[in-house]
Amino acid sequence: MWGANVGDWLRRGVAVLLGVTGIVVGPTWGADPEVLRPRVPVDQIEAARTVTNPLAATPENVGKGKALYHGKAFCATCHGRDGKGLGDIPGLVGRLPRDFTDQTWQAARTDGELFWILKNGSPGTDMAPFIPLILTEEEAWQVLLYVRSFGGR
Ligand code: HEC
């Protein structure tokens, strides 16, 4: 069947655009250890890992994060409404947002590392910094609570 809904096609469109620009230089997709390779530069990762989420994962905070993810922070455009990213597109595998529902990936990252990415972007990829232009620090922590919820937490 034509199972892909309009959102899927939009996501694929974005993916193709990203692919055509050739800007995204990402990890190899799937079970490849490249997905788990730390993204925070080695001289900053120790400090980044000491940073913890000041917010509790209450339904209210996760709900605020969800609204941001699907709304003004447009994370869903690239990372997918379901958090599964865009890594299943032939020819673009490895250059696109990872699967947030991947438990191994969830376990490999500290909250502090993810926060560092929202502040600085992910070096060598199309992931831009979102703090402070799009998200306040508090909003970033709310979004990260929602990202964690993809891992079933
Ligand atoms: C323009 C597309 C795009 C948008 C919008 C976007 N991202 Fe990304 N993001 C990427 C790409 C590409 C990567 C690099 C590939 C990867 O690591 O998954 C990435 C990487 C990440 C990472 C690092 C994963 C890791 O451990 O290496 C996090 C965390 C992240 N994004 C969260 C978010 C959040 C939260 C939002 C919304 C505030 C967002 N992204 C918006 C494309 C995007």
Side-chain angles (χ1 to χ4, degrees), residues 39 73-75 78-79 97-98 105 109 118 125 127 130 143:
R39 298 306 154 122
F74 55 91
C75 320
C78 298
H79 289 280
R98 71 200 45 250
W105 172 79
R109 292 286 188 266
L118 288 183
T125 79
M127 178 64 197
F130 279 75
V143 167

Side-chain angles (χ1 to χ4, degrees), residues 36 99-111 114 144 146-153:
L36 302 180
D99 182 356
F100 285 151
T101 70
D102 177 348
Q103 300 285 340
T104 316
W105 172 79
Q106 287 276 352
R109 292 286 188 266
T110 65
D111 288 342
L114 300 184
L144 288 179
Y146 183 62
V147 167
R148 287 304 194 189
S149 77
F150 287 123
R153 218 171 72 171

Side-chain angles (χ1 to χ4, degrees), residues 4 16 22 30 35 46 63 71 74 92 98 102-103 116 119 126 138-139 149-150:
V16 170
V35 169
E46 285 297 315
F74 55 91
L92 296 174
R98 71 200 45 250
D102 177 348
Q103 300 285 340
W116 188 98
K119 231 176 168 166
D126 257 8
E138 187 185 25
E139 288 172 331
S149 77
F150 287 123

Side-chain angles (χ1 to χ4, degrees), residues 115-141:
F115 188 74
W116 188 98
I117 299 282
L118 288 183
K119 231 176 168 166
N120 300 281
S122 186
T125 79
D126 257 8
M127 178 64 197
F130 279 75
I131 306 168
L133 279 183
I134 295 167
L135 296 172
T136 64
E137 295 204 351
E138 187 185 25
E139 288 172 331
W141 285 122

